[in-house]
Amino acid sequence: MMCIMLRRQHFMRRLLSTRSGTNKVYNSSIEAVRDIKDSSTVLFGGFGVCGIPENLIRALNQLGSKNLTAISNDAGVKDAGIGILIENNQISKLYASYVGEHKSFMQLYNSGVLEVFFTPQGTLAEKLRCGGAGIPAFYTPAGVGTVVEHGNFPVKYNPDKTIAVRSEKKEAREFNGRKYILEEALKGDFACV
């Protein structure tokens, strides 16, 4: 029994610490996000406003970090999820698969406040998995024959509503008679889950 308890304690200690031995348990949400500085890339968990790290998002909002790159399934809504950070102009670049519930998102995107990379949902998940596994890129059939493949889609607008940045054309290859496009992995500096 004692041996099992020691192993469990060892497992929990490893689970709650980084490879350098730094503790990942904090007394407050503000303390947990304090290291997220301006221009960091942050991965956000959740789906819509379900399962989101609400307390960490509110703490990050209070902290005021700016020019963040956010990687999330969606853009949240005006007063929940990462929508809070978008409304406060803390996010300058967003990778997401869905933005439809955030009512003022289009205004912010069209006015050049946000640089947005629309990514199919499964592709977004695989980009993150590959980033975590050290795989630089992968081929997928998702997006073949669409603006995802062909590029030229507005990523960022100028304040005068002209297009400042367009998406790039993706490399395409055929495997076993089926066309695939190359997608690069994504990594974050921090993850809020």
Side-chain angles (χ1 to χ4, degrees):
M1 185 72 146
M2 181 59 107
C3 183
I4 293 170
M5 291 300 289
L6 290 175
R7 285 185 182 158
R8 185 178 296 154
Q9 288 173 346
H10 175 71
F11 172 76
M12 290 306 292
R13 215 176 8 259
R14 287 195 62 201
L15 179 68
L16 297 174
S17 66
T18 63
R19 290 177 194 218
S20 65
T22 306
N23 190 351
K24 292 183 185 179
V25 178
Y26 298 93
N27 293 322
S28 71
S29 296
I30 287 283
E31 213 178 291
V33 299
R34 190 167 307 285
D35 290 338
I36 301 177
K37 304 294 183 207
D38 293 353
S39 302
S40 293
T41 298
V42 185
L43 314 177
F44 291 95
F47 185 84
V49 292
C50 298
I52 59 171
E54 184 176 353
N55 292 333
L56 296 175
I57 290 169
R58 291 194 186 284
L60 192 53
N61 180 245
Q62 289 175 6
L63 191 62
S65 299
K66 297 277 187 191
N67 199 33
L68 299 172
T69 296
I71 303 174
S72 176
N73 176 66
D74 56 78
V77 294
K78 187 173 184 169
D79 56 356
I82 68 167
I84 295 168
L85 304 174
I86 291 171
E87 292 289 327
N88 197 35
N89 294 327
Q90 290 177 263
I91 294 175
S92 60
K93 189 183 289 187
L94 173 67
Y95 289 83
S97 62
Y98 180 72
V99 296
E101 297 300 318
H102 191 156
K103 301 294 185 220
S104 60
F105 170 85
M106 285 308 293
Q107 178 186 357
L108 297 167
Y109 170 56
N110 288 332
S111 65
V113 172
L114 282 172
E115 188 171 350
V116 180
F117 295 87
F118 292 103
T119 307
Q121 190 171 38
T123 301
L124 185 61
E126 185 64 7
K127 282 173 162 275
L128 293 169
R129 189 198 70 78
C130 285
I135 301 167
F138 62 95
Y139 283 97
T140 179
V144 168
T146 70
V147 295
V148 174
E149 175 189 357
H150 302 303
N152 208 29
F153 189 80
V155 170
K156 183 172 182 159
Y157 286 94
N158 291 310
D160 67 359
K161 307 235 185 304
T162 58
I163 298 171
V165 179
R166 294 177 185 273
S167 62
E168 295 179 11
K169 183 176 181 171
K170 306 270 173 133
E171 177 185 320
R173 288 197 51 198
E174 195 172 295
F175 298 97
N176 299 320
R178 188 170 182 191
K179 190 174 180 183
Y180 293 81
I181 57 175
L182 184 67
E183 291 283 0
E184 293 184 21
L186 290 172
K187 290 183 182 182
D189 300 315
F190 300 92
C192 293
V193 292

